[in-house]
Amino acid sequence: MEALLNTPVAMPCLAAQQKPRVAAQAAHLSGLRRSSIKGSQVACRRPSLAKQRLVAPVRAVAAVEEETKVDEKTAMLAINAVRFLSIDGVNKANSGHPGLPMGCAPMGYVLYNEYMQHNPKHPKWFNRDRFVLSAGHGCMLQYSLMHLTGYESVSLDDCKQFRQWESKTPGHPENFETEGIEVTTGPLGQGIANAVGLAASEAHLAARFNKDGHKVVDHYTYCILGDGCNMEGISNEACSLAGHWGLGKLIALYDDNKISIDGHTEISFTEDVNARFEALGWHVQTVKDGNTDLDAIRKAIDEAKSVTDKPSMIKVSTLIGYGSPNKADTHGVHGSPLGADETKLTREALKWPYGEFEIPNEVYDAFSAAGKKGKAVEEEWNKTLEEYCGKYKEEGEEFKTLINGVLPDGWADELPTFTEKDKPLATRLHSQTMLNALAPVLPGFWGGSADLAPSNMTLMKMYGDFQKGQYQEKNLRYGVREHGMGAIANGIALHNPGMIPYCATFFNFTDYMRGAIRMAALSRAGTIFVMTHDSIGLGEDGPTHQPVEHLASFRAMPNILMMRPGDGNETAGCYKIAVLNNRGMNQKGYGRPTILALSRQGVPNLPGTSKEGVEKGGYIVHGGDGKPDAIILATGTELGLAVDAAKELESDGKKVRVVSMVSWELFEEQDQQYKVRSLLG
């Protein structure tokens, strides 16, 4: 602390040493006890068995917390270690954003080492708290925290390889590259929207599975976002929904450093963010000194956790590049390394006597608290889960199936088969049939539309609406918020392996949500995008609602399946493939999203289509014998027209083959022999 008080730069600091965290810890543990026994009716002094089960784990964890307490001087040493590990990583890469980690190190330390429920040795433990760095450009903050708390996925050597080819520390957090990263962030606003999806998943599963005395789903979602995230429209869309849903276990810390790449935010961003979030239905607080006032950060998080019916926004005022004598509070530290000279001055200013990438043992010792507490919490949760499964066998079996991502036996058999005698229908209506066929058999299957459910045909008829107070329901009402919808659905997909979210709008309006769709592909999130009104066959709506270039653009997007079924059988086949790809059950071996382009107009059920054919991406539906004179490739509503055209040509003596190319991507993955045989025979 003395080092901070004597720092020769203009930055806020405290006039006295921080007080020990005894009161905050007591309040935190008291809050845990209160939330654990909420609703219990105890008529005598002796605790009930249910209460004993709940209090015992809290006491066990409290004992570990007491044992691993870190004094304030050591805490500030650990915070400076985060700052300089971030500075050194960016300097070595000669690329990156050191300013945010330098300003956010205190809140990062408090979260990772004191508040978050996580086990660095088991990053995928189900009941962990989730953390999202929405301001992904500051990712050396997260890499430093992960390394120091003991995540094996981020070694010190990995920190030295920041932004290098094939490193585990890429220039923005990537969930598919670094274990312990929950979601991929970088495009601003996507992360906070993903966090809404993560928090919605927790609320949904808690409502479905928790029983009196047995809370198997009980975790928070924390998010650090910046000025840029708050400027992006997607954040407002998603946070509006979070407020409407009352997601009380979502806690966002806003790094209010008032700097963007162009300079001070006063040139373009002067709104009252707190007032906006209050209007959105959030609980809002301000920490005036996020650079040194650890107790204020702790108090704010404690208060946020005590508010259970609203998400919380904590505006934390920080100095970007804190400690840098010449670059703090400037855009010069936003997206450029400090450089050797300024780093030397910063070391002197913060009295950091250690060399490049040198971390004293007492810092590692201080950060070991996270792992010890996480291990204890996970062990207690495992006991709770075992008791739960013993008492509630059916629910326990379903819960384990869901969190482990296991598909129930025979689930695909629920998808119907059609013949040419069945009534012609729009593929959006076939889609509705598939959604309602899968809803009862896939425990993690849920979703909704951007205010177009009656047009997209996406309601699951046996369930109600996911709303505040009825989180167990499965129909999500996103309102007219396409971009927020897509990113929230991605967060749901990435919450645990069993989640199979879908979201829907008109195909043309994918333009509003392309960023979220691209992030789904990059993140390997198995979101199912149900897009109806897929062609110029719309008629009276006119060109504003008629997608023309969209099919080609999504076929050009890597790691996404663009599927356009031509009838009922193909729609069923597309849903089967979409679910399998959500699980990574494909040639790639990892998840990928699916876009279903569905028609408004009716189409006939063709004699040559099949669910099995869809699995190949392209297959012969007409004229399979011998060598053809002509081959027609078609998808969707044009498939039936192509078969009619083939018959017309055949009446003139031509031999014509029709190939349904329902998914170019799947067809491309087939072996060369199959592709040649399908086209040429």
Side-chain angles (χ1 to χ4, degrees):
M1 181 61 69
E2 181 182 353
L4 290 169
L5 296 176
N6 293 328
T7 299
V9 289
M11 57 185 69
C13 60
L14 295 181
Q17 287 238 346
Q18 301 293 323
K19 295 180 181 179
R21 195 190 166 201
V22 177
Q25 281 282 15
H28 175 48
L29 292 173
S30 175
L32 281 176
R33 293 189 185 103
R34 285 197 300 270
S35 65
S36 296
I37 62 175
K38 185 178 180 181
S40 298
Q41 299 296 323
V42 183
C44 61
R45 293 183 179 180
R46 183 179 180 182
S48 66
L49 181 60
K51 187 173 180 181
Q52 289 178 43
R53 285 172 177 160
L54 288 166
V55 173
V58 173
R59 287 175 177 166
V61 174
V64 176
E65 287 187 335
E66 186 65 30
E67 177 190 335
T68 56
K69 269 187 180 178
V70 176
D71 64 80
E72 294 299 283
K73 181 180 178 182
T74 305
M76 295 310 298
L77 183 71
I79 287 167
N80 280 336
V82 173
R83 287 177 171 135
F84 283 99
L85 192 52
S86 300
I87 290 169
D88 293 341
V90 173
N91 276 345
K92 189 172 187 300
N94 197 30
S95 174
H97 303 257
L100 182 145
M102 295 167 72
C104 288
M107 68 177 96
Y109 169 83
V110 169
L111 282 176
Y112 262 79
N113 209 41
E114 296 181 358
Y115 277 86
M116 277 173 52
Q117 179 175 276
H118 64 125
N119 184 355
K121 300 304 180 186
H122 188 187
K124 294 299 184 184
W125 166 49
F126 168 77
N127 206 40
R128 68 193 181 277
D129 289 340
R130 272 63 170 176
F131 173 78
V132 176
L133 182 62
S134 189
H137 54 275
C139 56
M140 267 309 300
L141 169 72
Q142 190 168 9
Y143 298 147
S144 299
L145 289 165
M146 290 174 67
H147 167 66
L148 293 169
T149 52
Y151 283 79
E152 294 176 359
S153 55
V154 183
S155 66
L156 189 60
D157 284 340
D158 290 321
C159 292
K160 296 176 182 179
Q161 293 301 308
F162 178 54
R163 288 190 165 221
Q164 303 308 298
W165 178 249
E166 293 187 339
S167 80
K168 293 295 182 182
T169 49
H172 291 84
E174 297 175 357
N175 65 302
F176 55 90
E177 194 66 56
T178 313
E179 191 171 40
I181 300 292
E182 300 288 354
V183 299
T184 299
T185 61
L188 295 176
Q190 293 284 339
I192 181 61
N194 291 161
V196 174
L198 294 171
S201 297
E202 194 277 345
H204 175 64
L205 295 177
R208 283 175 59 185
F209 291 103
N210 285 352
K211 307 287 186 183
D212 288 342
H214 296 83
K215 295 180 74 171
V216 291
V217 183
D218 184 16
H219 53 265
Y220 285 84
T221 300
Y222 295 99
C223 178
I224 291 179
L225 69 160
D227 291 303
C229 296
N230 275 325
M231 294 183 204
E232 288 284 1
I234 185 176
S235 65
N236 198 69
E237 291 183 19
C239 291
S240 173
L241 268 172
H244 170 73
W245 287 335
L247 299 176
K249 287 191 174 179
L250 173 60
I251 299 176
L253 293 92
Y254 164 33
D255 175 31
D256 176 35
N257 63 42
K258 295 182 171 58
I259 294 290
S260 64
I261 290 178
D262 278 356
H264 281 266
T265 54
E266 64 188 16
I267 64 176
S268 62
F269 188 60
T270 55
E271 67 185 52
D272 187 338
V273 174
N274 281 9
R276 172 156 64 95
F277 273 84
E278 286 176 353
L280 293 177
W282 286 57
H283 172 249
V284 177
Q285 302 176 76
T286 296
V287 172
K288 294 182 179 180
D289 175 14
N291 304 303
T292 62
D293 194 349
L294 304 187
D295 275 345
I297 296 171
R298 293 164 179 149
K299 181 180 178 182
I301 297 173
D302 284 332
E303 186 173 338
K305 294 180 76 171
S306 73
V307 177
T308 59
D309 62 342
K310 294 180 179 182
S312 286
M313 168 66 74
I314 304 171
K315 185 174 84 167
V316 186
S317 295
T318 68
L319 203 65
I320 191 171
Y322 181 85
S324 170
N326 300 302
K327 292 189 175 182
D329 198 31
T330 73
H331 66 279
V333 76
H334 187 290
S336 301
L338 286 187
D341 292 342
E342 188 66 16
T343 297
K344 182 175 182 295
L345 293 175
T346 305
R347 276 183 159 83
E348 293 171 356
L350 293 180
K351 291 183 167 49
W352 182 256
Y354 306 100
E356 186 181 55
F357 295 106
E358 184 181 355
I359 307 295
N361 288 333
E362 57 190 304
V363 167
Y364 284 113
D365 290 342
F367 273 108
S368 69
K372 292 175 182 176
K373 287 182 289 187
K375 183 175 182 291
V377 173
E378 182 178 359
E379 287 173 352
E380 294 297 344
W381 180 81
N382 286 334
K383 293 176 185 176
T384 301
L385 180 60
E386 185 179 355
E387 291 179 3
Y388 179 93
C389 292
K391 187 172 183 179
Y392 307 101
K393 290 183 170 55
E394 186 176 338
E395 292 92 335
E397 183 177 341
E398 182 177 355
F399 181 68
K400 283 187 172 181
T401 295
L402 196 153
I403 68 174
N404 292 320
V406 178
L407 290 170
D409 292 338
W411 68 272
D413 297 338
E414 300 300 317
L415 296 168
T417 301
F418 300 86
T419 71
E420 62 268 29
K421 295 180 181 179
D422 290 313
K423 180 182 177 181
L425 292 172
T427 52
R428 65 171 174 160
L429 292 173
H430 286 305
S431 170
Q432 183 182 44
T433 299
M434 306 312 152
L435 288 171
N436 282 278
L438 293 175
V441 295
L442 295 177
F445 192 66
W446 59 313
S449 167
D451 198 49
L452 287 170
S455 295
N456 298 143
M457 303 298 176
T458 48
L459 283 180
M460 292 186 284
K461 298 176 182 178
M462 67 286 294
Y463 297 113
D465 292 343
F466 175 92
Q467 295 288 354
K468 187 175 183 178
Q470 52 187 56
Y471 297 126
Q472 74 279 6
E473 300 294 354
K474 295 190 175 184
N475 286 303
L476 289 160
R477 302 286 191 169
Y478 284 107
V480 189
R481 302 180 181 94
E482 291 88 356
H483 202 183
M485 172 182 70
I488 290 170
N490 292 342
I492 293 172
L494 294 170
H495 180 270
N496 73 80
M499 289 300 197
I500 311 174
Y502 65 87
C503 61
T505 186
F506 290 166
F507 193 33
N508 184 68
F509 296 152
T510 54
D511 286 344
Y512 281 131
M513 56 188 299
R514 184 171 296 269
I517 295 174
R518 187 176 188 274
M519 290 303 289
L522 185 61
S523 303
R524 303 176 182 177
T527 309
I528 301 174
F529 297 95
V530 180
M531 300 297 154
T532 68
H533 297 58
D534 73 332
S535 75
I536 59 171
L538 299 179
E540 64 274 9
D541 275 340
T544 59
H545 285 53
Q546 293 171 345
V548 175
E549 73 279 13
H550 299 69
L551 275 170
S553 70
F554 285 117
R555 285 169 179 158
M557 187 176 285
N559 197 46
I560 195 165
L561 291 181
M562 179 67 252
M563 307 192 79
R564 191 169 181 239
D567 68 358
N569 286 328
E570 290 200 341
T571 305
C574 285
Y575 268 94
K576 179 181 178 181
I577 291 296
V579 170
L580 291 174
N581 275 270
N582 168 278
R583 288 293 190 276
M585 299 172 70
N586 52 41
Q587 291 188 19
K588 291 176 176 284
Y590 51 76
R592 59 180 165 183
T594 301
I595 300 177
L596 303 178
L598 304 165
S599 74
R600 180 196 185 204
Q601 67 267 42
V603 292
N605 292 296
L606 302 171
T609 60
S610 70
K611 289 180 278 188
E612 295 73 24
V614 171
E615 295 178 14
K616 299 291 188 180
Y619 66 106
I620 299 169
V621 298
H622 179 83
D625 297 330
K627 186 175 181 180
D629 297 314
I631 302 171
I632 303 176
L633 307 181
T635 66
T637 52
E638 289 78 61
L639 186 59
L641 296 175
V643 171
D644 290 342
K647 292 177 180 177
E648 187 91 9
L649 290 169
E650 286 168 351
S651 67
D652 291 337
K654 301 295 183 181
K655 188 169 182 59
V656 180
R657 174 171 297 160
V658 177
V659 173
S660 174
M661 196 62 72
V662 63
S663 170
W664 291 18
E665 298 82 17
L666 285 178
F667 184 74
E668 193 62 33
E669 290 174 6
Q670 307 308 311
D671 60 56
Q672 188 66 18
Q673 184 180 3
Y674 175 81
K675 288 188 281 190
V676 171
R677 187 171 68 248
S678 297
L679 294 177
L680 302 178

